Amino acid sequence: MATKSLNVNGRRVSIAIDDPRMPLLYALRDNLGLRGPRFGCGLAQCGACTVHVDGNAVRSCVTPLSSIGAGQRVVTLEGLGTPQRPHPVQRAFIAEQAAQCGYCINGMIMESAAFLARNRRPSEAQIKQALANNLCRCGTHARIVRAVRRAAGAA
Ligand code: FES
Ligand code: FES
C-alpha cells in the first residue's frame, strides 16, 4: 500500500492508498473526516464535491488523489474560513440565508470563492455563468446569486 502526502487546509497529512484511481473526495471525507465536500453525482456534473487546488475550483469526485502533488494546496470548505472568521462568501451565504437542504452549498461557496478571487466586481450575468454548472435541486438560485453579489460588495 502506498502513502500519499498532501497539504490540506494548511496541514501536512498522509493518506494510505491502495488504488491510484481513488478520488480526492474519498480521501477528504473518509480518511480525513472533512465532510464539507459532498458526494452528489460522482461524475463531475453537479459540483457538490468542489474543493480548491492551488486556488482553482476542482471537482474532487473525478480528481484522482494520485494526481495531486505534495506541494499543491488543497482547501476545503472547512479551510476557507473558521466559525469565528468566516470567509466573506460564507458570511454572505449566511446573511442571505442562501440554502434550503444545503446539499449543493459546499460547491456553490467553493466555486464562488474561486471565481471572486479572479473577478472582484462581476456582473450578475457573470455570476450566473460562473455557477451555471453547479446544480441546486431545491431552486435556491436567486438567493445564491444574491449572496455572491453581496460577497462581491454589489448588493
Ligand atoms: S459529486 Fe462531483 S460533480 Fe457531482
Ligand atoms: S439547497 Fe438543496 S440542493 Fe441546493
Side-chain angles (χ1 to χ4, degrees):
M1 186 175 294
T3 300
K4 178 83 186 164
S5 175
L6 276 186
N7 179 331
V8 180
N9 295 336
R11 261 188 333 125
R12 174 72 46 200
V13 296
S14 2
I15 295 168
I17 38 173
D18 53 11
D19 181 348
R21 294 163 306 172
M22 174 178 171
L24 173 61
L25 178 63
Y26 296 4
L28 295 173
R29 286 183 60 87
D30 301 340
N31 296 66
L32 301 178
L34 295 167
R35 301 290 160 81
R38 300 291 170 87
F39 184 93
C41 63
L43 296 167
Q45 302 289 307
C46 74
C49 63
T50 302
V51 300
H52 294 173
V53 177
D54 290 339
N56 297 311
V58 161
R59 303 214 157 174
S60 63
C61 68
V62 292
T63 302
L65 178 60
S66 57
S67 71
I68 306 291
Q72 291 188 284
R73 290 171 299 110
V74 178
V75 174
T76 69
L77 188 67
E78 292 88 344
L80 199 61
T82 64
Q84 296 72 31
R85 291 195 59 202
H87 184 280
V89 175
Q90 292 172 317
R91 258 202 321 268
F93 270 68
I94 293 167
E96 295 291 346
Q97 291 290 285
Q100 290 189 62
C101 80
Y103 208 86
C104 68
I105 297 303
N106 167 74
M108 296 293 185
I109 290 178
M110 297 307 283
E111 191 74 45
S112 301
F115 168 66
L116 290 179
R118 293 192 309 273
N119 187 346
R120 290 188 191 281
R121 287 281 174 269
S123 65
E124 186 163 328
Q126 287 172 320
I127 293 170
K128 287 180 178 169
Q129 163 119 41
L131 294 177
N133 293 322
N134 285 71
L135 306 184
C136 173
R137 65 188 172 184
C138 296
T140 317
H141 302 86
R143 284 183 181 217
I144 289 170
V145 170
R146 261 206 316 271
V148 181
R149 292 186 71 224
R150 176 188 279 262

